Coordinates of all heavy atoms in Angstrom, one line a residue:
F1 N 7.1 20.4 -27.0 CA 7.7 21.7 -26.9 C 6.7 22.6 -26.1 O 7.1 23.4 -25.2 CB 8.0 22.4 -28.2 CG 8.4 23.8 -28.1 CD1 9.7 24.1 -27.9 CD2 7.5 24.9 -28.2 CE1 10.1 25.5 -27.8 CE2 7.9 26.2 -28.1 CZ 9.2 26.5 -27.9
N2 N 5.4 22.5 -26.3 CA 4.4 23.3 -25.7 C 4.5 23.0 -24.1 O 4.2 24.0 -23.4 CB 3.0 22.9 -26.2 CG 2.0 24.0 -25.9 OD1 2.1 25.1 -26.3 ND2 1.0 23.6 -25.2
A3 N 4.8 21.8 -23.7 CA 4.9 21.5 -22.3 C 6.2 22.0 -21.7 O 6.3 22.6 -20.6 CB 4.7 20.0 -22.1
L4 N 7.3 21.7 -22.4 CA 8.6 22.0 -21.9 C 8.9 23.5 -21.7 O 9.6 23.9 -20.8 CB 9.7 21.3 -22.7 CG 9.8 19.8 -22.7 CD1 10.9 19.3 -23.6 CD2 10.0 19.3 -21.3
V5 N 8.3 24.3 -22.6 CA 8.6 25.7 -22.6 C 8.1 26.3 -21.3 O 8.6 27.3 -20.8 CB 8.0 26.4 -23.8 CG1 6.5 26.5 -23.7 CG2 8.6 27.8 -24.0
I6 N 7.0 25.7 -20.7 CA 6.5 26.2 -19.4 C 7.6 26.0 -18.3 O 7.9 26.9 -17.5 CB 5.2 25.4 -19.0 CG1 4.1 25.7 -20.0 CG2 4.8 25.8 -17.6 CD1 2.9 24.9 -19.8
I7 N 8.2 24.8 -18.3 CA 9.2 24.6 -17.3 C 10.4 25.5 -17.5 O 11.0 26.1 -16.5 CB 9.7 23.1 -17.4 CG1 8.7 22.2 -16.8 CG2 11.0 22.9 -16.6 CD1 8.5 22.3 -15.3
V8 N 10.8 25.7 -18.7 CA 11.9 26.6 -19.0 C 11.7 28.0 -18.6 O 12.6 28.7 -18.1 CB 12.2 26.5 -20.6 CG1 13.3 27.6 -20.9 CG2 12.7 25.2 -21.0
L9 N 10.4 28.5 -18.7 CA 10.1 29.9 -18.3 C 9.8 30.1 -16.9 O 9.6 31.3 -16.5 CB 9.0 30.4 -19.2 CG 9.3 30.5 -20.7 CD1 8.1 30.9 -21.5 CD2 10.4 31.6 -20.9
I10 N 9.6 29.0 -16.1 CA 9.3 29.2 -14.7 C 10.3 30.1 -13.9 O 9.9 31.0 -13.2 CB 9.2 27.9 -13.9 CG1 7.8 27.2 -14.4 CG2 9.2 28.0 -12.4 CD1 7.6 25.8 -13.7
P11 N 11.6 29.9 -14.1 CA 12.6 30.8 -13.4 C 12.4 32.3 -13.8 O 12.5 33.1 -12.9 CB 14.0 30.3 -13.9 CG 13.7 28.9 -14.2 CD 12.3 28.8 -14.8
L12 N 12.1 32.5 -15.1 CA 11.9 33.9 -15.5 C 10.6 34.5 -14.9 O 10.6 35.7 -14.5 CB 11.9 34.0 -17.0 CG 11.7 35.4 -17.6 CD1 12.9 36.3 -17.2 CD2 11.6 35.3 -19.1
A13 N 9.6 33.7 -14.8 CA 8.3 34.2 -14.2 C 8.5 34.5 -12.7 O 7.9 35.5 -12.2 CB 7.2 33.1 -14.4
L14 N 9.3 33.7 -12.0 CA 9.5 33.9 -10.6 C 10.5 35.1 -10.4 O 10.3 35.9 -9.5 CB 10.1 32.6 -10.0 CG 9.2 31.4 -10.0 CD1 9.8 30.3 -9.3 CD2 7.8 31.7 -9.4
R15 N 11.6 35.1 -11.1 CA 12.6 36.2 -10.9 C 12.1 37.5 -11.5 O 12.4 38.6 -10.9 CB 13.9 35.7 -11.6 CG 15.0 36.7 -11.4 CD 16.3 36.2 -12.0 NE 16.2 36.1 -13.5 CZ 16.1 35.0 -14.2 NH1 16.1 33.8 -13.6 NH2 16.0 35.0 -15.5
G16 N 11.3 37.5 -12.6 CA 10.9 38.7 -13.2 C 11.8 39.1 -14.3 O 13.0 38.9 -14.2
V17 N 11.3 39.7 -15.3 CA 12.1 40.3 -16.4 C 12.9 41.5 -15.8 O 12.3 42.3 -15.1 CB 11.3 40.8 -17.6 CG1 12.1 41.5 -18.6 CG2 10.6 39.6 -18.2
R18 N 14.2 41.5 -16.0 CA 15.0 42.6 -15.5 C 14.5 44.0 -16.0 O 14.3 44.2 -17.2 CB 16.5 42.4 -15.9 CG 17.4 43.5 -15.3 CD 18.8 43.2 -15.7 NE 19.7 44.2 -15.2 CZ 21.0 44.3 -15.5 NH1 21.6 43.5 -16.3 NH2 21.7 45.3 -14.9
Y19 N 14.3 44.8 -15.0 CA 13.8 46.2 -15.3 C 14.9 47.2 -15.4 O 15.7 47.3 -14.5 CB 12.8 46.6 -14.3 CG 12.3 48.0 -14.5 CD1 11.5 48.4 -15.6 CD2 12.7 49.1 -13.7 CE1 11.2 49.7 -15.9 CE2 12.3 50.4 -13.9 CZ 11.5 50.7 -15.0 OH 11.2 52.0 -15.2
R20 N 15.0 47.9 -16.5 CA 15.9 49.0 -16.7 C 15.1 50.3 -16.9 O 14.2 50.3 -17.8 CB 16.8 48.8 -17.9 CG 17.7 47.5 -17.8 CD 18.6 47.5 -19.0 NE 19.4 46.3 -19.0 CZ 19.1 45.1 -19.6 NH1 17.9 45.0 -20.2 NH2 19.9 44.1 -19.5
P21 N 15.4 51.3 -16.1 CA 14.6 52.6 -16.3 C 14.8 53.1 -17.7 O 15.9 53.3 -18.2 CB 15.3 53.5 -15.3 CG 15.9 52.6 -14.3 CD 16.3 51.4 -15.0
S22 N 13.6 53.3 -18.4 CA 13.6 53.8 -19.8 C 12.2 54.2 -20.1 O 11.3 54.0 -19.4 CB 14.2 52.7 -20.8 OG 13.4 51.5 -20.7
S23 N 12.1 54.8 -21.3 CA 10.8 55.3 -21.7 C 9.9 54.1 -22.2 O 10.4 53.0 -22.4 CB 11.0 56.3 -22.9 OG 11.5 55.6 -24.0
A24 N 8.6 54.4 -22.3 CA 7.7 53.4 -22.7 C 8.0 52.8 -24.1 O 7.9 51.6 -24.4 CB 6.2 53.9 -22.6
S25 N 8.4 53.7 -25.0 CA 8.7 53.3 -26.4 C 9.9 52.4 -26.4 O 9.9 51.4 -27.2 CB 8.9 54.5 -27.3 OG 10.0 55.3 -26.8
T26 N 10.9 52.7 -25.6 CA 12.1 51.8 -25.5 C 11.8 50.5 -24.9 O 12.2 49.4 -25.4 CB 13.2 52.5 -24.6 OG1 13.5 53.8 -25.2 CG2 14.4 51.6 -24.6
L27 N 10.9 50.4 -23.9 CA 10.5 49.2 -23.3 C 9.7 48.3 -24.4 O 9.9 47.1 -24.4 CB 9.6 49.4 -22.1 CG 10.3 49.9 -20.8 CD1 9.3 50.2 -19.7 CD2 11.3 48.8 -20.3
L28 N 8.9 49.0 -25.1 CA 8.1 48.3 -26.2 C 9.0 47.7 -27.2 O 8.8 46.5 -27.6 CB 7.1 49.2 -26.8 CG 6.2 48.6 -27.9 CD1 5.4 47.5 -27.3 CD2 5.3 49.7 -28.5
R29 N 10.0 48.5 -27.7 CA 10.9 47.9 -28.7 C 11.7 46.7 -28.2 O 11.9 45.7 -28.9 CB 11.9 49.0 -29.1 CG 11.3 50.1 -30.1 CD 12.3 50.9 -30.8 NE 13.2 51.6 -29.8 CZ 13.0 52.8 -29.4 NH1 11.9 53.5 -29.8 NH2 13.8 53.4 -28.5
R30 N 12.1 46.9 -26.9 CA 12.9 45.8 -26.3 C 12.0 44.5 -26.2 O 12.4 43.4 -26.4 CB 13.4 46.2 -24.9 CG 14.2 45.1 -24.2 CD 14.8 45.8 -23.0 NE 15.3 44.7 -22.1 CZ 14.7 44.3 -21.0 NH1 13.6 44.9 -20.6 NH2 15.3 43.4 -20.2
N31 N 10.8 44.7 -25.8 CA 9.8 43.6 -25.6 C 9.6 42.9 -26.9 O 9.6 41.7 -27.0 CB 8.5 44.2 -25.0 CG 7.6 43.1 -24.7 OD1 7.9 42.0 -24.2 ND2 6.3 43.3 -24.9
L32 N 9.4 43.7 -28.0 CA 9.1 43.1 -29.3 C 10.3 42.4 -29.8 O 10.2 41.3 -30.5 CB 8.6 44.1 -30.2 CG 7.2 44.7 -29.9 CD1 6.9 45.8 -30.9 CD2 6.1 43.7 -30.0
L33 N 11.5 43.0 -29.6 CA 12.7 42.4 -30.2 C 13.1 41.1 -29.5 O 13.4 40.1 -30.1 CB 13.9 43.4 -30.1 CG 15.2 42.9 -30.6 CD1 15.1 42.6 -32.1 CD2 16.3 44.0 -30.3
I34 N 13.1 41.1 -28.1 CA 13.5 39.9 -27.4 C 12.5 38.9 -27.3 O 12.7 37.7 -27.6 CB 14.0 40.4 -26.0 CG1 15.2 41.3 -26.1 CG2 14.4 39.1 -25.1 CD1 15.7 41.9 -24.8
Y35 N 11.3 39.3 -26.8 CA 10.2 38.3 -26.6 C 9.3 38.1 -27.7 O 8.6 37.0 -27.8 CB 9.5 38.7 -25.3 CG 10.3 38.8 -24.1 CD1 10.9 40.0 -23.6 CD2 10.7 37.6 -23.4 CE1 11.7 40.0 -22.6 CE2 11.6 37.6 -22.4 CZ 12.1 38.9 -21.9 OH 12.9 38.9 -20.9

């Protein structure tokens, strides 16, 4: 799993996490909830 998760996350690392304009606190909550 430790190896495969790298391959799975390569598209996200290249594309970037989708950015939605919002406050820092909202971004932090979203970050903790999803990731």
